[in-house]
């Protein structure tokens, strides 16, 4: 017993402290870092722009194909959950449930986007390459989490948020695309 107490005392003196639960890094226990705070905030800003565009374009809603509505709905789910997942405690049951919903929304968004064509049916654009990338990377994200590979999981999440949500989302506003037309037109 004395030896065990001595070991614990030495660990406390060395600053090691208790190990985090399996799969969680010390960063997870500290909470979101600056990048995660910024990404969550940018997701909320994007959400605000989308809601503003939707409100301004409500007179044209009836002419919008259902495939576009599915696309918007799944994106909205992912954008709402992004700050929740980035800013709250990680590794618990709620994080896993929200993470699966977020991953499902991202997969459905990517699949649905393959049927959204601005240049006519069967015409793919550069943005469709991103859809294929998302379809590959979301399973990588889920597997990394299930294997408790926090570093890969975090890196993949950040990449998907930056590339598939924020950068791709930004490009829905210029070039006379639907949301841009509604917001600025």
């Amino acid at each position: 017993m004395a030896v065990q107490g001595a070991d614990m005392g030495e660990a406390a003196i060395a600053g090691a402290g208790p190990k985090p639960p399996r799969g969680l890094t010390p960063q997870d226990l500290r909470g979101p870092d600056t990048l995660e705070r910024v990404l969550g905030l940018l997701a909320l800003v994007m959400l605000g722009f989308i809601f503003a565009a939707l409100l301004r374009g409500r007179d044209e809603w009836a002419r919008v194909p259902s495939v576009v509505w599915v696309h918007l709905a799944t994106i909205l789910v992912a954008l709402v959950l992004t700050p929740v997942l980035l800013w709250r405690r990680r590794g618990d049951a709620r994080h896993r449930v929200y993470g699966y919903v977020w991953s499902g929304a991202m997969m459905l968004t990517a699949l649905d986007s393959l049927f959204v064509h601005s240049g006519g049916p069967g015409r793919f654009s550069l943005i469709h390459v991103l859809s294929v990338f998302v379809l590959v990377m979301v399973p990588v994200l889920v597997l990394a989490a299930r294997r408790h590979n926090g570093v890969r999981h975090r890196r993949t999440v950040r990449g998907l948020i930056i590339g598939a949500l924020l950068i791709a989302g930004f490009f829905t506003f210029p070039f006379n695309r639907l949301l841009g037309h509604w917001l600025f037109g």
Side-chain angles (χ1 to χ4, degrees):
M1 186 76 165
V3 173
Q4 186 181 24
D7 289 341
M8 302 240 338
E10 290 172 15
I13 292 170
K19 279 186 152 183
R22 183 173 175 230
L24 294 178
T25 65
Q27 172 62 42
D28 293 327
L29 299 176
R30 283 193 298 268
D33 62 14
T34 303
L35 177 59
E36 291 162 345
R37 285 188 193 98
V38 169
L39 291 176
L41 182 63
L42 289 172
L44 291 176
V45 168
M46 180 70 65
L47 198 59
F49 278 113
I50 291 172
F51 279 129
L54 286 170
L55 287 174
R56 290 200 53 175
R58 65 184 173 273
D59 294 339
E60 298 178 26
W61 286 3
R63 291 187 292 264
V64 176
S66 58
V67 69
V68 173
W69 284 117
V70 170
H71 191 68
L72 281 168
T74 57
I75 281 294
L76 291 174
V77 169
L79 284 170
V80 165
L81 287 176
T82 295
V84 173
L85 286 163
L86 291 176
W87 295 346
R88 69 173 303 282
R89 185 177 184 280
R90 296 170 184 132
D92 62 0
R94 191 176 298 173
H95 182 85
R96 284 189 293 277
V97 169
Y98 291 162
Y100 280 122
V101 173
W102 187 89
S103 298
M106 293 296 289
M107 289 293 283
L108 287 173
T109 300
L111 281 170
D112 182 65
S113 72
L114 296 174
F115 300 98
V116 177
H117 306 282
S118 59
R123 292 226 157 135
F124 290 101
S125 67
L126 199 53
I127 200 77
H128 290 100
V129 173
L130 181 60
S131 299
V132 174
F133 178 74
V134 170
L135 291 171
V136 170
M137 293 310 293
V138 168
V140 168
L141 165 84
V142 172
L143 285 174
R146 291 185 57 83
R147 292 179 179 158
H148 302 284
N149 185 342
V151 172
R152 180 164 207 164
H153 179 71
R154 175 176 277 131
R155 189 173 45 230
T156 307
V157 165
R158 289 174 173 187
L160 284 168
I161 292 169
I162 292 167
L165 282 178
L166 299 177
I167 292 174
F170 168 78
F171 283 107
T172 63
F173 291 101
F175 313 119
N176 202 27
R177 295 186 63 162
L178 181 66
L179 291 179
H181 169 72
W182 286 349
L183 188 62
F184 304 116

